[in-house]
């Protein structure tokens, strides 16, 4: 039996084999998982909600199409060598094959893909009209400190949350307080490293209102995977109202437990690390908590409700291993409840 016939027999046997069938199900599951990931709640660069992510998604599809064509050509060449009848080529034909397929084709294909890729860059590097950042984001272990400028030149500080008006182009200034982090909001834009001692820039222009998940895309230590950021794109007037509200100082606690919580907040030393504008708490090493109750999450990872605050206060080292906040599990439960009521009320 010649090599070609042998291969044909092997292919036929593989086709009938139970091993091939056994492979079918896992392949289908992997494909389905991929499809689900692209449409579930997970951050996805393939469902863009921003101008930059749209360009990146287009580029991805073009690169994928290019890769599929190259792959098909390689497989076709492989099948041709294996399955063709024995027939010798002339030297001229062989040279054409090597020069054409080995030099000309890759050069042309790669040059074309490079050109398409570079053409996207100017759009991504456009940082908006006024050179002022729409937000400053500082990567810290293990949260994102966010400062958003106010019309009067000052700014408000929040944590793990950033809001942007839909349809306006701007730039986020990215910094780091400790090690190298990387900011990536796949639905909105590409990723950019947060490098200690430097400011890097990321152009953004949300096209669809909604909340999009951002992550730290550079391993930075124990709780790297918990460094999550919500980016909320809002209609411009709703954004302006939200910003106005964030600029106001905390309103005094209303309910009895919340008033007790306010007192405990200062008495247990929370104010050494946290600021609550309008109170004597002026700490700066932790997140500003002035409107913490109005944020989408607590610490980027918990639902924002009384129960979430309770869990955060007593279980900090398990929820975020290595977090630079001590656990307050020595407090009696009624004190934890009071603190949670106070924090939830900081709307
Ligand atoms: C030694 C400094 C320090 C002290 C003291 C401290 N914290 Fe924190 N706190 C932090 C840091 C740092 C973070 C951010 C941790 C992270 O997410 O990695 C944080 C996060 C938080 C958050 C989540 C904030 C957000 O925006 O989601 C809340 C709520 C909070 N602290 C409440 C308290 C309360 C209440 C007390 C007092 C009982 C307290 N903290 C004491 C440093 C401190
Ligand atoms: Cu990080």
């Amino acid at each position: 039996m010649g090599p070609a016939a042998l291969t044909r027999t092997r292919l036929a046997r593989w086709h009938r084999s139970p091993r091939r069938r056994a492979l079918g199900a896992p392949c289908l599951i992997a494909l389905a998982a991929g499809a689900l990931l692209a449409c579930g709640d997970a951050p996805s660069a393939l469902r863009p909600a921003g101008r930059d992510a749209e360009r990146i998604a287009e580029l991805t599809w073009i690169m994928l199409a290019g890769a599929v064509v190259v792959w098909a050509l390689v497989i076709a060449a492989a099948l041709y060598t294996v399955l063709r009848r024995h027939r010798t080529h002339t030297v001229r034909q062989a040279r054409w094959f090597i020069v054409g397929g080995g030099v000309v084709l890759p050069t042309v294909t790669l040059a074309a893909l490079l050109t398409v890729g570079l053409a996207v860059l100017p759009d991504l590097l456009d940082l908006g009209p006024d050179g002022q950042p729409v937000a400053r984001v500082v990567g810290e272990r293990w949260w994102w400190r966010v400062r958003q400028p106010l019309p009067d030149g000052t700014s408000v500080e929040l944590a793990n949350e950033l809001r942007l008006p839909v349809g306006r182009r701007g730039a986020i200034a990215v910094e780091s307080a400790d090690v190298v982090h990387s900011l990536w909001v796949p639905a909105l834009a590409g990723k950019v490293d947060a490098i200690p001692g430097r400011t890097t820039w990321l152009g953004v222009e949300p096209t669809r209102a909604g909340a999009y998940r951002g992550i730290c895309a550079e391993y930075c230590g124990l709780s790297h995977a918990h460094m999550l950021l919500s980016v909320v794109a809002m209609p411009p007037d709703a954004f302006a109202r939200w910003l106005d509200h964030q600029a106001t100082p905390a309103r005094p606690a209303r309910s009895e437990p919340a008033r007790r919580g306010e007192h405990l907040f200062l008495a247990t030393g929370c104010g050494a690390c946290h600021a609550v504008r309008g109170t004597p708490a002026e700490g700066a090493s932790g997140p500003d908590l002035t409107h913490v109750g109005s944020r989408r999450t607590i610490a980027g990872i918990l639902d924002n409700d009384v129960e979430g605050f309770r869990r955060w206060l007593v279980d900090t080292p398990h929820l975020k291993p290595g977090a630079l906040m001590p656990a307050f599990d020595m407090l009696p439960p009624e004190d934890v409840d009071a603190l949670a009521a106070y924090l939830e009320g900081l709307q």
Side-chain angles (χ1 to χ4, degrees):
M1 212 189 295
L6 189 65
T7 314
R8 269 197 295 274
T9 331
R10 282 203 189 124
L11 277 177
R13 204 180 295 151
W14 164 248
H15 201 72
R16 275 183 270 110
S17 77
R19 251 200 306 154
R20 186 187 71 93
R21 299 220 178 97
L23 261 183
C27 284
L28 268 183
I29 291 172
L31 275 177
L36 275 180
L37 266 185
C39 46
D41 199 29
S44 168
L46 298 181
R47 268 178 304 131
R51 194 73 63 209
D52 305 79
E54 281 167 12
R55 299 307 313 274
I56 293 170
E58 279 164 26
L59 183 61
T60 308
W61 293 122
I62 294 173
M63 293 275 177
L64 183 66
V68 167
V69 171
V70 171
W71 180 81
L73 286 175
V74 171
I75 296 297
L79 288 178
Y80 172 73
T81 20
V82 175
L83 298 178
R84 82 193 164 86
R85 295 265 136 66
H86 257 290
R87 182 163 60 86
T88 42
H89 290 119
T90 64
V91 173
R92 218 175 113 82
Q93 279 172 328
R95 194 173 295 143
W96 261 111
F97 194 71
I98 290 168
V99 174
V103 180
V104 178
L105 187 68
T107 309
V108 170
T109 318
L110 293 182
L113 289 178
L114 179 69
T115 312
V116 176
L118 288 180
V120 174
L121 269 189
D123 284 354
L124 301 192
L125 294 177
D126 172 10
L127 299 182
D130 54 3
Q132 287 304 314
V134 285
R136 286 189 173 273
V137 174
V138 187
E140 307 207 5
R141 285 175 298 168
W142 276 275
W143 56 288
W144 300 99
R145 188 192 293 272
V146 174
R147 293 196 189 93
Q148 294 207 245
L150 298 170
D152 68 1
T154 59
S155 59
V156 282
E157 195 176 301
L158 36 158
N160 310 309
E161 182 167 317
L162 168 65
R163 299 205 176 201
L164 298 170
V166 170
R168 214 174 290 161
R169 179 136 202 108
I172 299 176
V174 182
E175 290 158 26
S176 166
D178 35 55
V179 296
V180 177
H181 303 272
S182 180
L183 176 67
W184 190 26
V185 190
L188 290 183
K191 66 177 99 138
V192 67
D193 278 358
I195 301 164
R198 276 182 62 173
T199 302
T200 45
W201 296 84
L202 182 69
V204 281
E205 185 180 346
T207 48
R208 244 184 323 124
Y212 308 104
R213 177 111 66 94
I215 56 177
C216 178
E218 177 80 38
Y219 182 70
C220 58
L222 267 188
S223 277
H224 159 71
H226 297 311
M227 260 187 91
L228 304 177
L229 173 77
S230 280
V231 179
V232 183
M234 309 170 86
D237 46 342
F239 170 76
R241 277 198 303 277
W242 170 83
L243 198 58
D244 272 350
H245 176 66
Q246 293 296 315
T248 58
R251 55 164 200 228
R254 294 221 183 107
S255 70
E256 181 42 39
R259 266 198 293 277
R260 225 168 68 75
E262 183 171 17
H263 168 75
L264 281 166
F265 190 86
L266 298 169
T268 28
C270 313
C273 299
H274 293 288
V276 178
R277 274 181 285 120
T279 77
E282 285 181 336
S285 65
D288 183 308
L289 299 180
T290 308
H291 294 287
V292 68
S294 74
R295 300 213 244 276
R296 292 176 55 81
T297 65
I298 299 168
I301 51 172
L302 295 175
D303 287 343
N304 194 322
D305 51 26
V306 175
E307 181 52 29
F309 284 113
R310 226 182 264 134
R311 284 183 59 201
W312 176 253
L313 290 179
V314 298
D315 217 14
T316 332
H318 294 115
L319 293 167
K320 263 199 187 175
L324 301 177
M325 167 165 158
F328 285 85
D329 50 358
M330 71 303 223
L331 293 178
E334 57 277 16
D335 286 5
V336 173
D337 289 351
L339 279 166
Y342 170 58
L343 293 167
E344 175 57 22
L346 290 174
Q347 288 294 327

